[in-house]
């Protein structure tokens, strides 16, 4: 019974944590922008959770994070969810088969996945509407956003790891 | 490697594939339908109170810190405002006389003041698009408050943008900086009809492009650009911005101007949605290209996508 309670509490805390992080990500003036770049906290959250809990929880929390992005950010609902689900699966599988579960891995995944999502977003929402200046987008938004997000990868990883390992003892 | 193959043959992979297909369907539905999707609306209703609280705390902290960090900026602004006030005061000397004369002429000619019938819904900015150029933000009012898609959004300083998406308790505002925003405009002093549009290059500096200004126009720096009201999406006379620079268009047929919006669109914290006004078009297409109706050359037009 105690084990079940701890189990429910852990997943509930993850959900609440994701909602809080999503709200902060979209709160005006919460953090200053660097050029046009602002941090996307939810990406390292999905990656860290997937590394800690496995690819399936990572995938479903990726969907949750993506739906939060689509709803709070006013974007195309489902777009971010699809990619964040993919990031959750990819991070979980990579840690299982190829990478070690450590802070270096989370830094690499965060940089690569954020960069990838930013490029895809630029392609679908700007390039397809006639914007061909990739260099401008790269310097003004894609690179600053990727590096800015990277700053938060390690603290998020340690936070999720601590929470996960605390409940692992009880489970 | 066999473990990876095992994953792709497992029931877990099949579940994920189904979820991915559902998300793809949801995305296509959201992209093709005019309104907000059901999951987006549900999340919006649940999370908007937390967003509102977060935005209030963030605004309070920003305002508190700005008092210390922006001291030199505030002082400079104060000096400039004092100068402006002195100039306005000197202009006000004849103001009462002019108003009185104006009233007399109006009564002589039988003219009446125009009633634009504006109805406002005050709203608070609760979230911002962390994507490029601050082209969108969310407000804490939605369809339950009488807000409709394409309603104009302004502050007492001037026009901000329009409602792009409506959910029950929140709405998404696309600002004038967005490349899909086109607003039918008039240069107030010269009465030249033109179009204000967002471009990505200028949006990075918080500026707008004003196109199709006649080549023989007497437009000059500092001229105020206002909405033309043509097309019925925006009421006439809302201030858009001031002209900063004027250049010849690449086609050589017309001029274009770079304008500074009246409102700082990257830091606006509260706005007013104009829910009703005289002359409002009852059926504005989802394109939201207000300028299309007022395009003097007849070929304006982005389709309002890409926010």
């Amino acid at each position: 019974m105690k084990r079940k309670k701890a189990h429910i509490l852990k997943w509930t805390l993850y959900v609440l944590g994701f909602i809080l992080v999503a709200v902060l990500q979209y709160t005006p003036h919460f953090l200053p922008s660097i050029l046009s770049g602002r941090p996307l906290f939810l990406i390292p959250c999905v990656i860290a959770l997937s590394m800690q809990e496995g690819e399936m929880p990572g995938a479903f929390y990726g969907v949750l994070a993506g739906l939060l992005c689509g709803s709070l950010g006013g974007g195309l609902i489902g777009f971010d969810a699809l990619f964040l689900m993919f990031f959750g699966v990819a991070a979980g599988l990579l840690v299982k088969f190829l990478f070690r579960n450590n802070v270096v891995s989370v830094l690499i995944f965060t940089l690569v996945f954020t960069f990838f999502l930013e490029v895809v977003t630029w392609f679908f929402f700007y390039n397809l509407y006639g914007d061909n200046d990739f260099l401008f987008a790269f310097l003004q938004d894609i690179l600053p956003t990727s590096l800015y997000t990277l700053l938060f990868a390690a603290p998020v990883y340690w936070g999720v790891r601590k929470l996960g390992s605390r409940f692992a003892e009880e489970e | 490697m066999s473990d990876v193959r095992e994953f792709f043959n497992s029931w877990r992979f099949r579940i994920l594939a189904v979820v991915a297909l559902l998300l793809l369907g949801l995305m296509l539905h959201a992209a093709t339908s005019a309104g907000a999707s059901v999951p987006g609306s549900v999340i919006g209703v649940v999370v908007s109170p937390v967003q509102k609280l977060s935005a209030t705390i963030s605004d309070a902290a920003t305002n508190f810190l700005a008092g210390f960090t922006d001291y030199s900026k505030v002082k400079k602004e104060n000096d400039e405002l004092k100068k402006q006030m002195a100039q306005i005061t000197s202009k006000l000397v004849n103001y009462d006389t002019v108003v009185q004369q104006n009233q007399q002429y109006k009564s002589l000619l039988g003219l009446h003041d125009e009633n634009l019938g504006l109805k406002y819904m005050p709203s608070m900015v609760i979230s911002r698009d962390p994507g490029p150029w601050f082209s969108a933000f969310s407000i804490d009012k939605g369809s339950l408050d009488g807000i409709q898609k394409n309603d104009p959004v302004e502050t007492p300083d001037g026009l901000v943008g329009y409602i792009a998406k409506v959910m029950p308790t929140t709405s998404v505002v696309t600002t004038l900086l967005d490349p899909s925003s086109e607003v039918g405009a008039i240069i107030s002093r010269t009465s030249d009809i033109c179009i204000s549009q967002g471009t990505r290059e200028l949006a990075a500096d918080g500026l707008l492009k004003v196109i199709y200004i006649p080549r023989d126009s007497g437009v000059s720096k500092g001229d105020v650009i206002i909405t033309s009201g043509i097309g019925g999406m925006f009421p006439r006379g809302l201030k858009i911005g001031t002209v900063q620079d004027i250049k010849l268009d690449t086609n050589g047929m017309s001029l274009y101007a770079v304008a500074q919006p009246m409102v700082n669109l990257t830091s606006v914290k509260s706005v007013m949605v104009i829910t009703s006004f005289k002359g409002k078009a009852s059926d504005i297409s989802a394109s939201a290209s207000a300028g299309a109706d007022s395009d003097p050359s007849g070929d304006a037009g982005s389709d309002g996508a890409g926010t």
Side-chain angles (χ1 to χ4, degrees):
Chain A
M1 193 65 186
K2 197 181 168 192
R3 225 176 112 183
K4 197 179 173 187
K5 262 187 184 172
H7 199 68
I8 292 169
L9 184 64
K10 181 178 78 173
W11 296 113
T12 310
L13 278 177
Y14 279 140
V15 171
L16 293 175
F18 269 54
I19 291 173
L20 181 70
V21 166
V23 169
L24 291 179
Q25 178 171 305
Y26 291 101
T27 296
H29 317 295
F30 176 65
L31 284 175
S33 57
I34 297 176
L35 296 174
S36 293
R38 292 176 78 199
L40 305 172
F41 304 124
L42 283 169
I43 294 178
C45 284
V46 170
I47 293 168
L49 187 138
S50 184
M51 289 168 75
Q52 177 69 26
E53 305 290 349
E55 72 276 5
M56 286 304 278
F60 286 106
Y61 276 79
V63 173
L64 170 74
L67 291 175
L68 285 166
C69 283
S71 176
L72 305 189
L76 179 62
I77 199 114
F79 180 83
D80 292 302
L82 196 63
F83 284 98
L84 286 170
M85 185 185 90
F86 165 72
F87 296 163
V89 176
L93 289 178
L94 284 169
V95 162
K96 202 181 255 181
F97 299 120
L98 212 60
F99 282 75
R100 286 185 182 180
N101 189 348
N102 60 22
V103 76
V104 178
S105 302
V106 84
L107 291 175
I108 293 169
F109 296 163
T110 301
L111 187 64
V112 172
F113 292 162
T114 311
F115 185 83
F116 177 74
L117 184 63
E118 284 292 291
V119 172
V120 169
T121 304
W122 174 81
F123 176 74
F124 279 107
F125 296 102
Y126 291 89
N127 185 249
L128 288 184
Y129 291 97
D131 176 4
N132 296 314
D133 194 353
F134 178 76
L135 187 66
F136 183 83
F138 176 76
L139 295 174
Q140 276 283 326
D141 182 61
I142 295 169
L143 189 64
T145 298
S146 303
L147 295 176
Y148 210 163
T149 305
L150 188 65
L151 283 180
F152 298 92
V156 166
Y157 173 74
W158 285 316
V160 171
R161 201 180 162 96
K162 197 166 182 181
L163 186 75
S165 53
R166 188 191 151 87
F167 280 99
E169 287 164 17
E170 290 180 32
E171 283 173 339
Chain B
M1 219 48 196
S2 62
D3 290 333
V4 181
R5 227 172 278 143
E6 198 179 293
F7 171 77
F8 285 108
N9 289 325
S10 68
W11 59 268
R12 290 173 297 160
F13 177 72
R14 282 181 204 134
I15 290 174
L16 291 175
V18 170
V19 174
L21 283 174
L22 286 173
L23 287 173
L24 204 63
L26 179 68
M27 199 163 74
L28 290 173
H29 176 260
T32 50
S33 63
S37 63
V38 176
S41 298
V42 171
I43 293 172
V45 169
V46 173
V47 180
S48 64
V50 188
Q51 279 185 289
K52 206 170 167 177
L53 178 70
S54 172
T56 307
I57 294 167
S58 173
D59 285 349
T62 310
N63 289 340
F64 178 73
L65 290 173
F68 298 103
T69 55
D70 295 345
Y71 177 74
S72 59
K73 193 179 156 192
V74 171
K75 195 173 178 301
K76 195 180 163 189
E77 202 174 77
N78 191 33
D79 291 340
E80 279 173 15
L81 287 172
K82 276 180 184 167
K83 275 183 202 164
Q84 276 183 25
M85 190 138 165
Q87 286 170 354
I88 290 167
T89 309
S90 64
K91 281 182 186 171
L92 271 176
V93 173
N94 295 323
Y95 175 76
D96 289 333
T97 318
V98 172
V99 168
Q100 208 175 358
Q101 279 177 349
N102 191 31
Q103 288 295 336
Q104 283 171 352
Y105 292 144
K106 271 185 178 174
S107 62
L108 278 171
L109 294 168
L111 298 175
H112 299 285
D113 285 330
E114 189 180 14
N115 179 12
L116 290 173
L118 300 174
K119 282 186 184 165
Y120 293 104
M121 174 57 70
S123 312
M124 182 183 167
V125 178
I126 55 169
S127 80
R128 275 193 181 278
D129 174 12
W133 339 131
F134 288 106
S135 54
F137 58 77
S138 299
I139 56 171
D140 65 340
K141 296 287 189 306
S143 56
L144 295 175
D145 304 288
I147 288 175
Q148 292 176 316
K149 192 176 177 187
N150 293 330
D151 279 350
V153 179
E154 67 156 356
T155 72
D157 294 329
L159 186 65
V160 170
Y162 63 90
I163 300 287
K165 198 192 280 182
V166 188
M167 282 162 277
T169 56
T170 58
S171 304
V172 177
V173 177
T174 291
T175 70
L176 297 172
L177 297 181
D178 192 282
S180 69
S181 283
E182 289 189 344
V183 181
I186 295 176
I187 296 166
S188 180
R189 189 177 58 80
T190 62
S191 299
D192 290 316
I193 293 176
C194 49
I195 289 178
S196 155
Q197 66 170 197
T199 70
R200 207 199 49 184
E201 287 76 10
L202 290 173
D205 297 320
L207 299 170
L208 295 167
K209 191 174 184 181
V210 183
I211 55 173
Y212 301 130
I213 301 171
R215 218 178 145 163
D216 58 352
S217 166
V219 62
S220 60
K221 282 181 191 174
D223 279 351
V224 176
I225 298 149
I226 59 171
T227 51
S228 66
I230 305 169
M233 182 159 162
F234 298 96
R236 191 162 58 83
L238 299 182
K239 285 176 281 181
I240 296 172
T242 50
V243 174
Q244 287 217 323
D245 199 9
I246 304 140
K247 288 173 184 168
L248 187 65
D249 214 339
T250 45
N251 60 21
M253 303 289 283
S254 59
L255 301 173
Y256 77 88
V258 175
Q260 173 81 53
M262 288 292 184
V263 184
N264 186 345
L265 300 169
T266 59
S267 65
V268 63
K269 289 168 188 164
S270 56
V271 294
M272 291 181 293
V273 182
I274 303 173
T275 54
S276 174
F277 62 90
K278 199 176 168 186
K280 183 179 181 180
S282 56
D283 182 28
I284 298 170
S285 70
S287 73
S289 292
D293 288 348
S294 58
D295 179 0
S297 72
D299 65 352
S302 79
D303 61 1
T307 50

